[in-house]
Amino acid sequence: MNRGARAPRPTGDPHRLGSAVLGVATALVAVLALITATWGPASVSRALAGGPSVPSAPPPPAAVVTVLAGTVPIQPGAAPVSPGAPLNVAVQHGVLQAVQVTDAKTGRQVAGTLSPDAASWRNSAPLSYGDTYQVAVTAVGADGQPVQQSSTLSTIRPAVLTAVSFRPTPSMTSVGVGQPLVVRFNHPVTDKAAAEKALAVTSTPAQHGGWFWMSANEAHYRAQSYWQPGSTLQLNANLFGVNLGKGAFGQENRAVTVHVHDSWVAKADGHAKTMQIFHNGAVVKSMAISLGSADHPSHIGPHVVSDKKPTMIMDSCTYGVCEGDPGYYKEKVDLDVRISADGEFVHSAPWSVGQQGSSNVSHGCVNLSPANARWFFDHFNLGDVVEITNSGGPKLPVWDTYGDWEVPWSEWQAGSAT
């Protein structure tokens, strides 16, 4: 009997197959839930579509503009600033398109320079005292959107403007190895440290030096020892906008450049009654001299030539010994080289030739014969040095144009305000 073909029987267990399907589905749901929680629905859609799954990038930032006078932010109600402080405009997350700084008094634009990357701007022309400026800035941020910012700044109005003068003056381009650099203020300085920080000296070749305040109106700069022959000295007084104390501010910046010529040093010995002349360290001449008498001894120590004249009238009344007083004199003297402010000179003294080389009879000067005085006058100039020893006199005072080299280096450094 033909009962027909049998249907094929399943080869696996139906219960086990159902369990496997359920397990895969559960795992898929768990993965999708993790993706959704971590990256969000958009990432899930990309994952299901087979694309990369990455976090969304933050939006590009807007430009942020800052305006500084020196290190002081310019904000509404800000106190007046120094016109000497650099005006800086900067942008973060963008570039500067335009910067306009306008003088409210004149309407003129202040010149400035934009950096190559257009991230900052700085004024190249100075601001003025007691003025107001409008600052208008346009920048474009990384988001492509423009940002405009306006601000107002005012500059200080000094009670006193302080000017300076130099010695050597700008016209004195060549000086000797003993010449100090002198800055004279036309008003007393109460903040000497601020003033000194604004005074910059560069020597070529480099030589260690320092400032010494003679008074509230005068500061001197010298090296530890005499300047090297052939040196170039550059003095920059960057005083514009500097607060010098009690409402006084620097009026302007000034500079002077000085060349140091060959070394000329004369050594006058009161015991030997001779003066040896050294040119760049080598003895080139010796002269018989007469220094100050016991009643009028010459100061000892290094003296610096500060002036010279072919002839002049020397009058003892200028220091209180007048006509009728013992020791009074008034006479024409030739070939005068000044070495101190209180009347010491190297000069021609034909009346004392007989004592030169044997006794000291002058009123404090270095007496020479007319021939020796001519040679000395022709070879010694401003800043050259005359060192006097064994005269029986006191030390040349530091303030006595120029007693700078009489001060030991440690004491000189102590005379600095910084």
Side-chain angles (χ1 to χ4, degrees):
M1 179 176 63
N2 183 6
R3 296 184 179 181
R6 292 185 178 181
R9 296 184 64 173
T11 59
D13 187 335
H15 295 290
R16 296 177 69 178
L17 181 60
S19 296
V21 172
L22 180 59
V24 171
T26 302
L28 180 59
V29 170
V31 170
L32 292 176
L34 178 61
I35 294 173
T36 303
T38 304
W39 294 339
S43 297
V44 173
S45 299
R46 287 195 299 271
L48 292 175
S53 299
V54 294
S56 299
V64 178
V65 174
T66 57
V67 181
L68 301 175
T71 59
V72 179
I74 301 304
Q75 299 171 340
V81 299
S82 168
L87 183 60
N88 290 292
V89 178
V91 62
Q92 290 181 308
H93 314 307
V95 294
L96 295 171
Q97 274 197 332
V99 177
Q100 287 188 330
V101 180
T102 306
D103 187 327
K105 286 183 180 178
T106 64
R108 295 177 181 173
Q109 301 293 314
V110 177
T113 302
L114 188 67
S115 65
D117 60 0
S120 63
W121 178 97
R122 179 168 174 165
N123 63 312
S124 55
L127 305 183
S128 301
Y129 283 112
D131 211 340
T132 301
Y133 296 87
Q134 304 294 333
V135 183
V137 183
T138 301
V140 176
D143 60 357
Q145 298 301 310
V147 170
Q148 294 182 331
Q149 181 171 310
S150 298
S151 55
T152 301
L153 69 90
S154 298
T155 55
I156 52 180
R157 188 181 301 277
V160 175
L161 282 177
T162 302
V164 297
S165 59
F166 296 142
R167 190 75 176 179
T169 65
S171 62
M172 296 165 56
T173 56
S174 178
V175 297
V177 297
Q179 178 66 52
L181 299 178
V182 178
V183 178
R184 291 174 178 152
F185 298 81
N186 67 343
H187 293 285
V189 174
T190 55
D191 192 343
K192 294 178 182 177
E196 192 172 317
K197 289 175 183 177
L199 302 175
V201 176
T202 303
S203 58
T204 306
Q207 293 153 81
H208 184 50
W211 289 100
F212 185 99
W213 286 84
M214 301 289 175
S215 68
N217 291 77
E218 186 169 321
H220 289 207
Y221 186 95
R222 52 159 267 211
Q224 186 169 355
S225 55
Y226 297 145
W227 300 110
Q228 296 179 33
S231 297
T232 298
L233 311 177
Q234 174 74 35
L235 168 59
N236 291 293
N238 302 313
L239 291 163
F240 178 72
V242 175
N243 186 347
L244 301 175
K246 294 187 177 180
F249 285 79
Q251 178 173 309
E252 61 182 349
N253 296 332
R254 294 197 64 196
V256 64
T257 300
V258 179
H259 178 72
V260 179
H261 55 236
D262 284 1
S263 173
W264 287 97
V265 177
K267 297 188 177 185
D269 187 337
H271 282 168
K273 314 308 189 291
T274 59
M275 183 166 69
Q276 288 186 311
I277 309 298
F278 292 78
H279 179 219
N280 291 333
V283 178
V284 295
K285 198 170 183 64
S286 183
M287 303 176 177
I289 64 170
S290 180
L291 294 180
S293 67
D295 293 334
H296 307 283
S298 307
H299 285 106
I300 62 170
H303 297 56
V304 177
V305 175
S306 59
D307 193 15
K308 55 189 288 188
K309 295 183 183 302
T311 187
M312 64 183 297
I313 300 297
M314 291 193 178
D315 186 348
S316 63
C317 198
T318 59
Y319 60 86
V321 180
C322 295
E323 189 172 4
D325 296 333
Y328 168 73
Y329 63 87
K330 182 178 182 180
E331 56 187 293
K332 182 176 76 70
V333 180
D334 295 329
L335 304 171
D336 306 290
V337 179
R338 180 183 287 275
I339 57 173
S340 79
D342 68 347
E344 291 176 317
F345 290 81
V346 179
H347 64 74
S348 175
W351 59 86
S352 72
V353 169
Q355 288 82 28
Q356 292 167 23
S358 60
S359 60
N360 295 320
V361 298
S362 82
H363 284 80
C365 294
V366 181
N367 283 185
L368 297 175
S369 69
N372 282 336
R374 168 54 65 187
W375 189 97
F376 188 89
F377 188 89
D378 289 344
H379 288 81
F380 273 65
N381 292 287
L382 302 182
D384 293 333
V385 179
V386 177
E387 298 177 353
I388 297 178
T389 58
N390 302 317
S391 69
K395 291 181 178 180
L396 181 68
V398 64
W399 46 263
D400 195 356
T401 316
Y402 302 98
D404 302 52
W405 303 100
E406 183 62 42
V407 180
W409 182 242
S410 59
E411 293 181 24
W412 184 270
Q413 290 178 303
S416 166
T418 59

